[in-house]
Amino acid sequence: SASKRFEDAINQTDHQVLEETRVEFLGAKSGKLKEAQKGLGKVAKEDKPAAGKRFNEVKTRLEELFQSAADVITGGGKKGKVEALDVTLPGIRPRLGHVHPITQTIDELKDIMGRLGFSAVEGPEIEDDWHNFEALNIPLEHPARDPLDNFYLNIAAASHGGGNQLLRSQTSTVQIRVMEDNEPPIRIVSLGRVYRPDEIDATHYAMFHQIEGLLVDTNVTMADLKYVLRLFASSYLGGDVEIRFRPSFFPFTEPSVEVDMRWQDTWLEFGGAGMVDPNVLKAVGYDPEKVTGFAFGLGVERLCMRRHGINDIRYLYDSNTKFLAQF
Ligand code: FA5
């Protein structure tokens, strides 16, 4: 029957057979539909509008079915024709994302410290009072704990007498975690995010990264600290970097210093450092009579910006791919 042939035709994959069937039904001169159209003339006058409408519906539907059958055969090309592929046209290169400059810096710093024998460890960004303050010799009434200087969370700590948890304000927290779980000698670095409600400007952001270094062993001195920092900075910035210590104060180191580095004839401060305070060693159960150590904490953004000549920290964080693609 006609409907069976129609069904077979639109379900098979030979373009030639499909076309023959299309001509049989929709052909302009002698297609079945043309014949049906002639029959419309004999329809009673009052039924003509309805019959004409129905005829057009059937015609449109058949055309659609043939078209989609043709599309199936040609893979969806326009009007059933196979679209020509011009292999000589230049290709469209997909835009590749890449590693963020801060992540690149972190990987590189980790690598450099690894070669100096420091293994990388991580600590949580949500910290308790004990690791962010108490064990670091920052007592309850210390101004560093001011709610205006920290992002406190509405979650009580599970241990160490409760107290509100907070987003860590420094990576020095990791010193405590490592010493609590390990016996000396210790030789670690920790790189990660820290948070402070600082006013944002060219050199300050409310979220930034620090690299923390800690070495605890017998007979560790300030000279070891300076030597490691010099090797570290020279490897990262390139060339010979001079290190300068300026007296400072941190509750968890004694003595404490600000670390300046001279690179390309300019001195710049990169962070703090010092000899681990005996109170900190005691807090983690070490004997300050037997071991000593040094610790340092530097700004990762500051290192990255110095090396690449970036003059505003905000460039690193406003997701402008034109800027980021340079690195
Ligand atoms: C500290 O955070 C100490 N924990 C460092 C330390 C570690 C001292 C171990 C002794 C022993 P400070 O608050 O100065 O120190 O921060 C260190 C560095 O972090 C700064 O020198 C700066 O490079 C960077 N930094 C501080 N605040 C911001 C900020 N808002 N945005 C970007 N970088 C910052």
Side-chain angles (χ1 to χ4, degrees):
S1 72
S3 78
K4 174 85 172 79
R5 264 208 319 290
F6 176 77
E7 213 171 290
D8 287 350
I10 66 163
N11 281 326
Q12 57 83 55
T13 52
D14 183 334
H15 199 270
Q16 185 65 34
V17 177
L18 181 69
E19 180 57 16
E20 280 163 11
T21 317
R22 191 190 66 79
V23 171
E24 182 188 340
F25 283 86
L26 293 170
K29 279 184 192 146
S30 55
K32 288 195 186 318
L33 219 61
K34 197 76 198 166
E35 279 170 42
Q37 197 176 10
K38 283 177 200 154
L40 277 178
K42 294 170 201 142
V43 173
K45 202 176 176 197
E46 64 271 29
D47 294 334
K48 261 195 183 134
K53 186 163 176 264
R54 183 68 191 137
F55 173 82
N56 282 329
E57 279 169 9
V58 171
K59 186 174 179 230
T60 307
R61 184 70 192 128
L62 285 180
E63 283 168 352
E64 280 170 7
L65 287 169
F66 274 111
Q67 185 56 58
S68 55
D71 285 350
V72 168
I73 294 171
T74 59
K78 274 190 194 132
K79 298 253 155 160
K81 280 185 215 128
V82 181
E83 271 185 296
L85 175 67
D86 183 350
V87 293
T88 65
L89 286 174
I92 300 165
R93 209 182 281 272
R95 199 165 60 93
L96 291 180
H98 72 299
V99 178
H100 191 278
I102 287 299
T103 311
Q104 291 181 31
T105 307
I106 286 172
D107 291 345
E108 198 172 333
L109 298 183
K110 226 185 256 182
D111 210 56
I112 291 168
M113 290 306 289
R115 275 182 264 133
L116 295 175
F118 289 73
S119 37
V121 296
E122 279 183 30
E125 289 177 26
I126 294 178
E127 262 299 2
D128 51 43
D129 177 275
W130 169 257
H131 293 95
N132 201 80
F133 299 124
E134 194 70 36
L136 286 166
N137 203 29
I138 304 173
L140 213 53
E141 67 283 2
H142 196 279
R145 293 178 179 238
D146 195 319
L148 295 175
D149 294 332
N150 295 283
F151 287 112
Y152 282 99
L153 303 171
N154 218 350
I155 311 168
S159 57
H160 298 294
N164 274 18
Q165 292 193 291
L166 74 162
L167 298 179
R168 68 178 176 192
S169 61
Q170 50 185 351
T171 43
S172 300
T173 52
V174 186
Q175 292 184 32
I176 304 302
R177 291 192 171 270
V178 168
M179 290 191 285
E180 280 174 336
D181 293 347
N182 299 278
E183 288 304 316
I186 303 283
R187 222 179 227 255
I188 59 100
V189 268
S190 191
L191 294 100
R193 289 191 181 121
V194 299
Y195 304 84
R196 293 180 195 177
D198 286 352
E199 188 144 350
I200 292 172
D201 61 23
T203 52
H204 294 86
Y205 216 67
M207 181 281 301
F208 59 101
H209 297 75
Q210 289 187 333
I211 169 169
E212 190 85 10
L214 173 70
L215 187 150
V216 183
D217 207 336
T218 47
N219 303 315
V220 180
T221 69
M222 286 287 269
D224 299 319
L225 169 63
K226 203 167 193 179
Y227 179 69
V228 165
L229 284 173
R230 182 170 189 167
L231 284 178
F232 165 75
S234 300
S235 301
Y236 179 64
L237 294 172
D240 196 10
V241 179
E242 217 178 310
I243 303 291
R244 180 171 74 188
F245 284 165
R246 278 178 295 116
S248 186
F249 176 80
F250 295 101
F252 35 91
T253 45
E254 181 59 35
S256 301
V257 294
E258 298 291 339
V259 180
D260 296 342
M261 298 178 184
R262 193 177 71 133
W263 186 57
Q264 296 180 342
D265 289 327
T266 315
W267 284 102
L268 205 75
E269 183 193 313
F270 283 93
M275 301 304 293
V276 181
D277 193 288
N279 286 339
V280 174
L281 296 174
K282 276 187 227 156
V284 296
Y286 286 7
D287 182 352
E289 301 295 329
K290 293 203 178 111
V291 290
T292 49
F294 69 67
F296 62 85
L298 314 176
V300 171
E301 281 77 2
R302 206 158 282 190
L303 285 159
C304 169
M305 288 165 71
R306 181 79 184 95
R307 166 145 142 202
H308 296 294
I310 299 167
N311 56 18
D312 195 319
I313 193 171
R314 288 167 289 200
Y315 284 131
L316 290 169
Y317 294 117
D318 53 28
S319 303
N320 176 352
T321 49
K322 276 191 189 148
F323 170 79
L324 295 173
Q326 301 174 88
F327 302 96

